[in-house]
Amino acid sequence: MTIDLDALDRALDALPNLFRGPGGVAGVVKDGQVVASRAWGYADLARRRPMETGTRLPICSISKQFTCGVLLDMLGDTAAHDARVAEFLPQFEGPLPTLRQLCDNQSGLRDYWALTVLQGAEATQTFRREDALPLIARMKTGHFPPGTAYSYCNCNFRIVSEILESETGRALPDLYAERIFGPAGMRTAELTANTRHPADEVVGYEGTDAVGFFPADNGIFWIGDAGISASLQDMLAYESWIDATREDAGSIYRRISVPPAYACGTPASYGFGLSHETVAGVKVTGHGGALRGFRAQRFHAASARLSVVVIFNHEASAHAAASSLLAAALGHEAPKGARPEGWAGQWLDPESGLLLRVEEDAAGLTLRFATGADRLTLGEDGVPRGAGVSLAREGAALVMNRPSDNLTVRAEPLPAVSVADAGEIAGRYHARELEADLVIEARDGGAYVGFEGLLGAGPMERLHPVGPDVWIVTTRRSMDAPAPGDWTLQVRREGGAVAGLSLGCWLARRIDYARV
């Protein structure tokens, strides 16, 4: 398959203006050869240090596939080590996930970075290596039985890395270097688990083109789920290595990119740290990455022997940027959707306890349910569809189908309210699941909630009514990125009196709080 190099060049030229921020890098590999490599802007605006193709940047969650690759390369049959999972979940009350289900994000566990918010963490405080396992060990229940559905969860890979280091008796940085970095020719890649000290002193920036950019302050220690820093040169070498080993059934990337499935046999969209999706009309494997001030995305289209890498030191969408490069190279034009009518509104999912909101504009729909908003367009058949999601209506109910998550939701309409008295829900609540508290304060029409737990007493977050006994807690900044966003808070009553709350977001659903 040939690609349009002229169109690709034009798309690369457009990136700095379309995805505005301090700097970035992008590159493309075709048939194992680097056909494009760009760096623009600055790695540090204050010091006027230019961004270069050799500047190392955090690739964040793209690291997950490296962890899974080393796991398979070193331990082989993951089932032989499933019993080790129980050591990290001593209070868990249901069936435990297998090591493979951890690698495939099918564990059902709540994400530990989302839970840091509920444990009282501030966005910029230090989170040490030794802080993670006690937080994980408090988990008692999950979203769903392991193997039945998908839920993105960073602590899956933290547990995997702990087992890997324990079973091999070796440090993860050494395993990365020996098994992947060295063979792939990633000369400068390394594990930089402490985000307080980024490689090459690169600066990541929060903010937008509208409000300006300011340096991001990160203090988390992550390993297994993220932590690798690599230059564009390193990442393009990785993509070339993938192509060079494409015919070797025993190669690391061939093994981690096998099509995943759920326990029932239904095809899944995520396995061994790789997302399986269709972008620009072709099937790709890849992953995104995010830390406050940084965004990254890589795609590999095996059928076209084509790979794309984009990394920003700001928070524009690297996924959208990488998608635009794939589309340009392949000459793909996205179909234009019809103007939607009658889809806007809000619904409540009784199973997850989460709010679904749909907004309309001339080009399509925006669905707010998961961590990030889904963009949907209306097809000729009148069905709104997006990446891995579609909507339908059954009377007043909204049906959301997410086949990649093995999930179908039938949500009931929620009448909207804009004003509600938070006085009757003000007070302290305790979550047995987390062994942590939340406090609601209300005065003069304003309502706020603060979380207290293992990591301290966090900042007060805004609390807004959206429906009868349903509120939204907004978390826009947290230790990990993107932040959990909106939490749905439902009031639980007994005999008309407030007895407790149910709180959740896509990464950490249905946490019960009892009134103290």
Side-chain angles (χ1 to χ4, degrees):
M1 178 185 293
T2 60
I3 63 172
D4 190 333
L5 290 174
D6 290 337
L8 178 59
D9 277 340
R10 290 193 296 272
L12 285 161
D13 289 341
L15 291 183
N17 191 48
L18 291 176
F19 302 92
R20 298 181 181 184
V25 296
V28 179
V29 170
K30 175 69 173 106
D31 298 338
Q33 302 298 314
V34 176
V35 296
S37 179
R38 299 283 188 91
W40 64 92
Y42 290 84
D44 185 335
L45 292 171
R47 297 181 181 180
R48 300 187 180 185
R49 291 179 50 239
M51 184 73 75
E52 299 175 344
T53 60
T55 303
R56 288 178 296 175
L57 294 152
I59 64 170
C60 309
S61 289
I62 294 175
S63 305
K64 290 177 170 66
Q65 63 199 261
F66 291 81
T67 302
C68 293
V70 171
L71 176 76
L72 289 183
D73 206 38
M74 293 296 295
L75 301 186
D77 180 18
T78 60
H81 307 279
D82 287 344
R84 296 291 310 274
V85 176
E87 300 170 21
F88 301 90
L89 299 166
Q91 300 186 59
F92 206 74
E93 297 168 354
L96 288 167
T98 65
L99 201 53
R100 175 65 189 271
Q101 288 164 347
L102 295 176
C103 292
D104 293 355
N105 272 334
Q106 295 180 25
S107 69
L109 300 178
R110 296 180 179 90
D111 178 63
Y112 77 143
W113 291 121
L115 294 181
T116 60
V117 174
L118 306 187
Q119 290 290 356
E122 295 187 24
T124 59
Q125 79 181 61
T126 298
F127 184 92
R128 306 164 300 168
R129 177 168 186 165
E130 57 266 32
D131 290 332
L133 296 187
L135 192 158
I136 294 171
R138 291 190 175 194
M139 295 191 190
K140 301 170 183 65
T141 63
H143 294 151
F144 48 75
T148 62
Y150 165 88
S151 181
Y152 194 83
C153 180
N154 285 283
C155 61
N156 290 339
F157 301 88
R158 178 57 190 270
I159 294 172
V160 168
S161 70
E162 294 286 342
I163 293 173
L164 178 57
E165 287 192 328
S166 175
E167 289 292 328
T168 62
R170 300 182 61 189
L172 190 57
D174 297 335
L175 295 174
Y176 283 153
E178 177 186 297
R179 299 291 168 155
I180 299 180
F181 297 164
M186 302 173 71
R187 296 188 303 104
T188 66
E190 66 172 333
L191 179 63
T192 51
N194 186 348
T195 60
R196 191 77 76 190
H197 304 287
D200 297 339
E201 298 183 340
V202 67
V203 178
Y205 291 88
E206 294 188 80
T208 65
D209 193 50
V211 302
F213 296 90
F214 51 94
D217 182 9
N218 293 296
I220 62 178
F221 184 104
W222 50 9
I223 183 170
D225 52 342
I228 293 174
S229 288
S231 68
L232 178 64
Q233 294 172 9
D234 292 325
M235 293 305 296
L236 296 181
Y238 177 61
E239 302 299 336
S240 297
W241 181 59
I242 290 171
D243 184 81
T245 59
R246 68 189 184 281
E247 302 296 343
D248 180 3
S251 69
I252 285 180
Y253 201 82
R254 278 282 299 270
R255 295 174 70 190
I256 65 173
S257 60
V258 295
Y262 295 103
C264 62
T266 300
S269 63
Y270 193 99
F272 286 127
L274 285 173
S275 176
H276 295 245
E277 54 186 305
T278 298
V279 177
V282 297
K283 292 183 177 180
V284 300
T285 52
H287 213 286
L291 176 67
R292 272 202 323 279
F294 297 96
R295 294 292 185 270
Q297 181 69 51
R298 65 162 294 269
F299 291 130
H300 174 63
S303 62
R305 294 180 62 191
L306 179 66
S307 292
V308 171
V309 177
V310 174
I311 313 175
F312 296 142
N313 66 335
H314 55 93
E315 298 181 350
S317 174
H319 187 282
S323 298
S324 73
L325 297 183
L326 269 183
L330 297 171
H332 179 265
E333 292 187 13
K336 294 181 179 180
R339 184 182 182 92
E341 291 183 4
W343 288 93
Q346 63 178 20
W347 294 260
L348 194 65
D349 173 21
E351 293 297 320
S352 68
L354 299 181
L355 187 70
L356 288 83
R357 286 178 289 179
V358 178
E359 303 162 0
E360 294 178 357
D361 57 48
L365 303 172
T366 299
L367 169 65
R368 303 190 187 280
F369 176 73
T371 304
D374 292 296
R375 187 65 185 165
L376 294 80
T377 55
L378 208 64
E380 293 182 357
D381 57 0
V383 176
R385 294 185 179 87
V389 60
S390 64
L391 297 179
R393 287 176 292 199
E394 291 183 0
L398 183 72
V399 178
M400 177 182 65
N401 189 29
R402 305 181 79 96
S404 60
D405 297 351
N406 207 26
L407 176 68
T408 298
V409 167
R410 188 182 189 280
E412 297 299 326
L414 180 69
V417 301
S418 57
V419 177
D421 180 13
E424 64 174 339
I425 64 172
R428 179 174 291 271
Y429 298 79
H430 179 75
R432 173 184 171 273
E433 171 70 33
L434 307 177
E435 301 169 39
D437 291 0
L438 69 78
V439 177
I440 294 175
E441 295 186 1
R443 66 174 69 91
D444 296 334
Y448 298 83
V449 58
F451 300 105
E452 303 172 5
L454 186 66
L455 300 175
M460 299 302 288
E461 303 278 13
R462 292 166 292 152
L463 182 63
H464 300 293
V466 291
D469 276 348
V470 180
W471 300 70
I472 285 292
V473 180
T474 61
T475 301
R476 294 293 178 258
R477 298 180 79 246
S478 66
M479 284 187 165
D480 193 22
D486 289 342
W487 303 78
T488 304
L489 185 148
Q490 293 185 70
V491 178
R492 186 178 73 255
R493 296 180 182 271
E494 294 178 3
V498 176
L501 310 168
S502 176
L503 179 71
C505 68
W506 180 244
L507 296 174
R509 305 167 217 166
R510 278 211 175 279
I511 300 167
D512 184 72
Y513 285 81
R515 191 161 202 167
V516 176

